[in-house]
Amino acid sequence: MPGFELWSDKERRELQDVLENGILMRYGFDGMRKGIWKSKELEDAICKTFGCTYAQLTSSGTSALTTALTALGIGYSDEVILPCFTFVASFEAVISVGAVPVLVDIDDTLTLNPEAVRKAITPKTKCVIPVHMCGSMADMNALVSICKEYNLLLLEDACQSIGASYKGKFLGTIGDAGTFSFDPVKTITCGEGGAVLTNKGDIHIKCDGYSDHGHDHKGGADRGADQHPFIGYNYRISELHAAVGLAQIKRLDSFLAIQKKNHTALKNILSQVPEISFRRIPDPAGDSCTFLSWFLPTEEAAMAVVNEMKAQGILAGNFYWYDNNWHYIRKWDHLKNAISVNHLSPSLKEQIIHHANNDFSVSDAIMSRCVSTAISLLWTDEQIKEKGEKMVAIIKKVISGQTIPA
Ligand SMILES: Cc1ncc(COP(=O)(O)O)c(C=O)c1O
């Protein structure tokens, strides 16, 4: 997820505009800012690039999720279904609005298993969050139809999949709302930042106000004259961050093209090993190719490959999520025990603990065999060849010394 890898004069120039006029806030200061509105420009560019009607920038992907959930009306005691393989931000946002995260199994797409979603639906379910992990997508046709059938809201967490699409529509624009993260390791970055995308005017108005203390932004140049139709929060992005994002969004197509080229080259090399299988991609043409995710036949083989890659100094950039503290339920003891710095309501605490301690053995069987290789924009063809061949040698060595089930 490489926006930071190709830092250039383009980012420096956009930043310079803001540094020169000295207006770092996205709202107000109309006279002094000499027509420079980087955040508004970036929101327009997001709508144009991804084909959505509205975009609301926020301070992070996490605050974009919180803002979107709030705007969708999710709150006290509502259940929100999401996958057990994600980043902690997804369930943090659900808890932050007072709702209950109901984690369910993934499948070989590494995203929500539609059947697991169906089984988890109760009268309290309000929303489903597919998390489009590692640059690729959930089975959106299946999830859209479940949400229609049960009258549930659909919020796409597309934080890791900017520029990926499903059957011709960009991820983040298919559900009632979608979120992007522009943190330092995402496909395009602002340094820190996020966005809520939606085609629904009422949801957008709520995102716009909620992320800025409830301002209705109708007071013109006088922010003090704005009304506050509801209680909000400060999840604003700054003009400095938006300036970086504006340069990066203009470069997105070129980033994606390099990513796809490098992904294909590495996949061709790894495909030489018949025992390796690859993540199922519901719409291969829409993969943004930030990662190549592959499976070993067994957990033992995966662990041995990871250990050998570490021993040979080539593990960097390869992620064994099963052992990672931040992305998979297995290591989320804080969630399983609902440990919070502030007081959660007793019923919320009880529900969090209940759902986080479900049986995730189906997902364990997938995640324990999965390695995701991050695709760099900086690799040369020679480096891909060298990297791929080293990986193949390690995998073959491990497999030849293991008993692989038929
Ligand atoms: C799937 C997912 N959702 C949400 C986030 C949160 O984004 P941010 O780091 O901008 O808060 C991330 C960040 O890694 C993520 O991977």
Side-chain angles (χ1 to χ4, degrees):
M1 292 183 282
F4 72 96
E5 288 186 320
L6 292 179
W7 186 253
S8 74
D9 272 352
K10 296 187 173 102
E11 285 77 6
R12 279 186 279 274
R13 272 200 300 273
E14 295 286 354
L15 265 173
Q16 195 59 32
D17 289 344
V18 181
L19 292 173
E20 270 166 24
N21 82 359
I23 306 301
L24 308 185
M25 186 168 176
R26 67 157 301 175
Y27 298 112
F29 300 92
D30 295 35
M32 292 165 72
R33 60 194 315 140
K34 303 186 194 102
I36 292 176
W37 300 89
K38 297 294 180 190
S39 307
K40 283 189 186 170
E41 244 190 280
L42 179 53
E43 284 168 350
D44 288 347
I46 291 171
C47 292
K48 218 167 137 206
T49 306
F50 301 103
C52 58
T53 316
Y54 306 99
Q56 179 65 44
L57 286 170
T58 60
S59 51
S60 68
T62 311
S63 59
L65 281 167
T66 302
T67 300
L69 285 163
T70 303
L72 291 171
I74 312 289
Y76 170 68
S77 89
D78 293 335
E79 291 179 2
V80 177
I81 297 176
L82 66 164
C84 61
F85 174 50
T86 176
F87 177 60
V88 291
S90 316
F91 68 72
E92 287 169 351
V94 173
I95 294 170
S96 79
V97 300
V100 179
V102 178
L103 301 170
V104 303
D105 275 321
I106 52 136
D107 58 22
D108 57 349
T109 64
L110 301 183
T111 59
L112 277 179
N113 177 334
E115 279 320 299
V117 171
R118 202 179 271 282
K119 281 194 196 128
I121 294 170
T122 74
K124 291 195 160 187
T125 308
K126 279 277 169 59
C127 179
V128 175
I129 306 185
V131 184
H132 302 299
M133 285 300 277
C134 303
S136 182
M137 78 256 5
D139 180 349
M140 289 306 287
N141 271 0
L143 294 171
V144 166
S145 85
I146 290 172
C147 287
K148 278 198 181 131
E149 186 181 337
Y150 291 91
N151 196 23
L152 303 175
L153 294 159
L154 183 58
L155 168 59
E156 292 174 81
D157 180 341
C159 288
Q160 290 197 6
S161 295
I162 298 171
S165 60
Y166 176 76
K167 302 199 188 258
K169 285 188 179 167
F170 282 103
L171 301 187
T173 68
I174 300 166
D176 296 283
T179 57
F180 284 169
S181 162
F182 301 120
D183 80 17
V185 293
K186 294 302 186 284
T187 308
I188 51 174
T189 185
C190 290
E192 295 286 357
V196 182
L197 286 64
T198 183
N199 294 315
K200 301 191 170 177
D202 57 329
I203 293 172
H204 173 67
I205 288 170
K206 288 176 189 156
C207 290
D208 177 60
Y210 184 72
S211 56
D212 184 25
H213 298 295
H215 277 261
D216 69 356
H217 300 133
K218 288 182 181 161
D222 180 4
R223 260 174 77 75
D226 283 350
Q227 297 293 326
H228 30 67
F230 47 74
I231 297 167
Y233 214 77
N234 178 5
Y235 287 137
R236 288 187 309 258
I237 197 164
S238 83
E239 284 287 276
L240 287 168
H241 292 88
V244 175
L246 194 54
Q248 289 253 305
I249 200 169
K250 293 174 188 162
R251 306 175 67 203
L252 177 63
D253 282 348
S254 66
F255 291 175
L256 291 173
I258 303 171
Q259 239 164 223
K260 285 184 188 187
K261 176 179 135 314
N262 291 354
H263 181 278
T264 306
L266 186 64
K267 189 170 179 188
N268 285 343
I269 300 174
L270 294 195
S271 301
Q272 293 165 23
V273 187
E275 289 86 353
I276 289 184
S277 57
F278 294 94
R279 169 188 189 175
R280 180 164 61 88
I281 313 280
D283 178 8
D287 188 356
S288 71
C289 295
T290 52
F291 282 91
L292 177 63
S293 295
W294 42 284
F295 300 105
L296 275 304
T298 62
E299 174 178 344
E300 295 70 33
M303 283 188 176
V305 164
V306 168
N307 288 338
E308 188 59 26
M309 286 168 101
K310 197 173 191 177
Q312 294 196 22
I314 63 156
L315 189 62
N318 292 283
F319 294 87
Y320 185 50
W321 307 113
Y322 194 57
D323 258 352
N324 182 297
N325 289 342
W326 296 94
H327 288 276
Y328 184 56
I329 180 78
R330 193 163 89 101
K331 298 287 185 112
W332 293 343
D333 288 337
H334 62 330
L335 182 73
K336 290 178 197 174
N337 294 294
I339 297 170
S340 169
V341 176
N342 60 355
H343 290 292
L344 297 177
S345 85
S347 67
L348 177 58
K349 197 166 173 160
E350 189 188 310
Q351 287 300 303
I352 292 172
I353 293 171
H354 171 70
H355 290 289
N357 285 281
N358 269 336
D359 172 16
F360 293 102
S361 51
V362 169
S363 303
D364 284 348
I366 296 165
M367 294 310 298
S368 62
R369 297 184 296 105
C370 176
V371 177
S372 297
T373 305
I375 302 298
S376 170
L377 293 180
L378 300 175
W379 287 342
T380 62
D381 291 349
E382 293 69 37
Q383 283 170 329
I384 298 172
K385 191 163 176 285
E386 192 189 330
K387 188 181 181 69
E389 283 173 358
K390 278 189 184 160
M391 288 166 75
V392 165
I394 288 172
I395 296 162
K396 281 186 174 165
K397 179 177 156 191
V398 165
I399 284 175
S400 64
Q402 301 257 338
T403 315
I404 308 298

